[in-house]
C-alpha cells in the first residue's frame, strides 16, 4: 500500500517534537547511525520510485538554530512511490525524526555543557539575547582563552571566563585598564591585569595567594548576558572544597552603561553553616606615565598600613593625594564606600566608585620594574580585608563602577 497522508503528517510532527525535546543522550548517541540509515533508506526508496516511474516529492526540514550560532538544518525531499510498505515508511520517517532530534539537542546543549566542563563550544563571534539598541554581548572563542566582548556605541569591554577577569575597558578608543606585559594568556596562570578577583582570601594565608577565584573558569549565564551585559557564575566544586571546605555561589555582573562600566560581585553562602572570607578586585589601571599621575580619595587620617616595611608599618594617611615615586604597597582601611579618582594628565580622570561591602583601598605599584610594565599601570584595589562573616543562605555584595572623564 502507498504511504498514507496521515502517516506522513505523524512522521513530520514526530520529528518536530523530538527536535524540540531535551533528550540529549538519545540525540548524541543515535546521530551518526540514524543519519546514515535515513539517508540510505531515502536513496533506496527514491530508486524504487524512479524504477516504478511513479513519484511525487515534497520537502521536510528538520533541525533548528541554536541561540549561540546557527546550526545547519537537514532538508530532504520525501518521495512518495506508489508502493512500499507502511513499516518501511515508518522506519524512514522515524529515522529522520531521531536524526533531527540529535542535531537540535546537540546544538542546544553545546554551549551550556561546554561551559560546565570549563570549555566553550559555541560559534565564534556569535551574539545572543536581544540587542539593546547599539549594545551587544558576544562570545569570542578564536583566542586560546574564551572571552565575552561587550559593546555599547563607541565603548567596549572584554571579560575572560578564566577568573571572570575584565581585561579591557575602552571609551572612544581610550583604554582605562592595563594588562601586564608579562601576563600569561594561555591559562597556565591567572591573568595579571584588568580586574582580577581575590577570593576567598586576599594575599597570603591558609590557602594559595589571593585565593582560587582568579584561577578557575567561571560559567557564563546565557540568559541575563545580553545587550552589553555579562553575568558569570562560580560554584564550589571538589577542587575548591579541598582548599576551602564551604559551599558557595559567586555571581559577577559586568555591564556597559552610557559613559561607565558597572560591576557587582555577590557571594552567597549555600552551605548549612556560617563562613568567613576576605576579597578584593586587584584592579590594574592604565596610565601614560606613573610619575605624573595622582590618586585622590579620603586617605588623610585614615588608618594606613605600609607593607613595604618589615614588619608592616601602621600609621595614618598624611594627605588625600597619593603620588607614586617608589615601590608602593599601601592599605587604607575603611575609606569606602566612596570614590577614588585617578588623574592622568595625558588621558583625563577615572572615577573609581565603590559601594556595598567594599570598605578598604589598596594602592600597589612595583615601581621601576620594566618586566611588569610598572611605568604604565597602578593598582587601586577595592577590597574587604577584615574577615566577612556570611550566615547560612546569606549574601554579601560589593559594587565597583568606573566612570572615565577624558581630557
Amino acid at each position: 500500500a502507498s504511504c498514507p497522508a496521515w502517516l506522513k503528517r505523524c512522521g513530520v510532527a514526530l520529528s518536530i517534537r523530538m527536535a524540540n525535546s531535551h533528550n540529549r543522550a538519545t540525540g548524541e548517541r543515535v546521530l551518526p547511525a540514524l543519519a546514515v540509515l535515513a539517508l540510505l533508506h531515502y536513496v533506496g526508496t527514491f530508486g524504487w520510485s524512479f524504477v516504478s516511474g511513479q513519484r511525487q516529492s515534497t520537502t521536510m526540514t528538520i533541525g533548528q538554530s541554536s541561540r549561540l550560532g546557527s546550526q545547519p538544518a537537514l532538508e530532504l525531499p520525501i518521495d512518495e512511490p506508489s508502493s512500499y510498505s507502511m513499516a518501511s515508511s515508518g522506519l524512514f520517517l522515524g529515522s529522520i525524526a531521531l536524526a533531527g532530534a540529535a542535531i537540535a539537542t546537540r546544538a542546544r546543549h553545546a554551549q551550556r555543557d561546554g561551559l560546565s566542563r570549563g570549555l566553550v563550544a559555541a560559534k565564534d563571534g556569535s551574539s545572543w539575547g536581544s540587542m539593546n539598541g547599539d549594545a551587544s554581548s558576544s562570545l569570542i572563542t578564536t583566542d586560546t582563552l574564551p572571552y565575552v566582548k561587550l559593546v555599547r556605541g563607541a565603548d567596549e569591554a572584554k571579560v575572560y571566563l578564566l577568573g571572570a577577569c575584565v581585561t579591557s575597558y575602552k571609551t572612544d578608543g581610550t583604554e582605562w585598564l592595563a594588562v601586564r606585559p608579562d601576563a600569561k594568556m594561555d591559562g597556565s596562570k591567572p591573568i595579571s591585569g584588568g580586574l582580577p578577583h581575590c577570593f576567598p582570601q586576599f594575599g597570603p594565608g591558609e590557602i594559595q595567594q589571593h585565593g582560587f577565584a582568579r584561577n578557575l573558569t567561571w560559567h557564563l549565564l546565557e540568559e541575563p548576558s545580553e545587550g552589553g551585559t555579562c553575568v558569570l557564575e562560580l560554584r564550589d566544586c571538589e577542587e575548591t572544597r579541598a582548599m576551602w571546605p564551604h559551599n558557595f555561589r559567586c555571581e559577577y555582573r559586568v555591564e556597559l552603561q552610557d559613559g561607565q562600566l558597572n560591576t557587582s560581585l555577590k557571594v552567597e553562602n549555600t552551605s548549612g553553616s556560617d563562613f568567613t572570607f576576605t576579597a578584593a578586585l586587584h584592579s590594574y589601571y592604565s596610565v601614560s606615565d606613573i610619575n605624573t599621575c595622582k590618586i585622590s580619595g579620603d586617605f588623610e587620617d585614615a588608618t594606613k598600613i605600609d607593607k613595604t616595611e618589615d614588619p608592616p608599618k601602621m600609621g595614618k594617611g598624611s594627605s588625600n593625594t597619593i603620588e607614586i615615586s617608589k615601590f608602593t604597597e599601601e592599605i587604607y582601611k575603611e575609606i569606602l564606600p566612596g570614590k577614588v579618582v585617578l588623574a592622568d594628565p595625558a588621558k583625563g580622570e577615572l572615577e573609581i566608585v565603590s559601594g556595598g561591602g567594599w570598605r578598604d583601598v589598596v594602592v600597589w605599584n612595583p615601581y621601576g620594574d620594566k618586566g611588569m610594565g610598572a611605568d604604565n599601570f597602578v593598582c587601586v584595589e577595592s577590597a574587604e580585608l577584615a574577615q566577612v562573616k556570611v550566615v547560612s543562605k546569606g549574601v554579601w555584595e560589593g559594587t565597583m563602577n568606573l566612570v572615565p572623564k577624558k581630557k
Side-chain angles (χ1 to χ4, degrees), residues 110-111 114-115 117-123 139-141 146-147 161 217:
Q111 167 72 3
L115 291 176
R117 297 190 301 270
L119 303 173
V120 176
K123 184 178 179 182
L139 181 64
I140 309 300
T141 60
Y147 64 88
L161 274 61
T217 297

Side-chain angles (χ1 to χ4, degrees), residues 255-404:
E255 184 173 9
L256 273 179
Q257 292 285 352
D258 291 334
Q260 66 186 63
L261 181 75
N262 295 346
T263 74
S264 169
L265 174 66
K266 293 181 180 180
V267 178
E268 180 182 358
N269 183 350
T270 58
S271 64
S273 58
D274 302 347
F275 63 59
T276 60
F277 70 91
T278 58
L281 288 175
H282 200 314
S283 312
Y284 288 74
Y285 297 111
S286 173
V287 297
S288 55
D289 184 353
I290 191 62
N291 296 288
T292 62
C293 295
K294 296 182 179 180
I295 305 164
S296 302
D298 294 329
F299 301 120
E300 189 172 0
D301 293 328
T303 299
K304 173 185 173 181
I305 304 172
D306 186 349
K307 297 194 71 176
T308 64
E309 301 286 342
D310 188 17
K313 182 181 178 181
M314 185 83 71
K316 294 288 185 179
S318 58
S319 171
N320 281 332
T321 302
I322 299 172
E323 298 182 57
I324 307 294
S325 59
K326 61 179 182 177
F327 184 91
T328 302
E329 186 174 8
E330 298 173 346
I331 297 173
Y332 293 87
K333 298 286 292 180
E334 298 182 358
I335 67 170
L336 301 177
K339 179 173 66 175
V340 176
V341 179
L342 173 59
D344 183 338
K347 293 171 59 176
E349 295 184 346
L350 179 65
E351 295 183 357
I352 306 163
V353 184
S354 302
W358 299 128
R359 297 195 299 170
D360 309 320
V361 171
V362 181
V363 178
W364 180 75
N365 176 265
Y367 193 81
D369 193 322
K370 301 296 185 181
M372 289 188 179
D375 290 348
N376 299 116
F377 78 82
V378 62
C379 290
V380 183
E381 308 169 32
S382 304
E384 175 54 283
L385 304 184
Q387 291 288 335
V388 178
K389 180 180 179 180
V390 183
V391 299
S392 175
K393 313 309 177 187
V395 178
W396 173 93
E397 181 178 9
T399 63
M400 193 276 288
N401 302 333
L402 301 180
V403 185

Side-chain angles (χ1 to χ4, degrees), residues 1 17 20 27 43 49 92 96 102 114 122-123 154 195 204 213 241 332 367 390 400:
R17 185 173 183 82
N20 289 325
V43 171
S49 65
F92 171 51
I96 294 293
K123 184 178 179 182
L195 306 177
R241 291 190 296 271
Y332 293 87
Y367 193 81
V390 183
M400 193 276 288

Side-chain angles (χ1 to χ4, degrees), residues 40-93:
L40 288 176
H41 194 78
Y42 162 72
V43 171
T45 54
F46 178 86
W48 170 252
S49 65
F50 182 80
V51 171
S52 67
Q54 301 179 24
R55 176 173 60 93
Q56 63 183 102
S57 299
T58 184
T59 299
M60 180 173 72
T61 300
I62 61 175
Q64 59 185 28
S65 296
S66 70
R67 298 191 64 198
L68 288 178
S70 298
Q71 299 292 328
L74 180 61
E75 188 171 285
L76 292 175
I78 302 175
D79 298 306
E80 298 185 35
S82 58
S83 178
Y84 61 90
S85 70
M86 292 183 62
S88 181
S89 303
L91 177 61
F92 171 51
L93 292 171

Side-chain angles (χ1 to χ4, degrees), residues 10-169:
C10 288
V12 173
L14 177 62
S15 80
I16 294 172
R17 185 173 183 82
M18 293 192 68
N20 289 325
S21 75
H22 295 272
N23 192 350
R24 169 173 169 259
T26 299
E28 290 189 345
R29 291 172 184 171
V30 303
L31 174 62
L34 289 182
V36 172
L37 177 61
L39 291 172
L40 288 176
H41 194 78
Y42 162 72
V43 171
T45 54
F46 178 86
W48 170 252
S49 65
F50 182 80
V51 171
S52 67
Q54 301 179 24
R55 176 173 60 93
Q56 63 183 102
S57 299
T58 184
T59 299
M60 180 173 72
T61 300
I62 61 175
Q64 59 185 28
S65 296
S66 70
R67 298 191 64 198
L68 288 178
S70 298
Q71 299 292 328
L74 180 61
E75 188 171 285
L76 292 175
I78 302 175
D79 298 306
E80 298 185 35
S82 58
S83 178
Y84 61 90
S85 70
M86 292 183 62
S88 181
S89 303
L91 177 61
F92 171 51
L93 292 171
S95 300
I96 294 293
L98 288 174
I103 292 172
T105 54
R106 290 186 69 164
R108 183 181 298 112
H109 291 282
Q111 167 72 3
R112 289 193 183 92
D113 293 355
L115 291 176
S116 69
R117 297 190 301 270
L119 303 173
V120 176
K123 184 178 179 182
D124 173 62
S126 60
S127 295
W128 64 94
S130 62
M131 296 296 182
N132 184 6
D134 58 353
S136 65
S137 303
S138 302
L139 181 64
I140 309 300
T141 60
T142 50
D143 286 2
T144 303
L145 298 175
Y147 64 88
V148 176
K149 182 178 180 180
L150 307 178
V151 176
R152 178 179 289 274
D155 302 345
E156 61 182 63
K158 182 185 292 187
V159 189
Y160 278 86
L161 274 61
L162 176 64
C165 187
V166 184
T167 60
S168 178
Y169 172 44

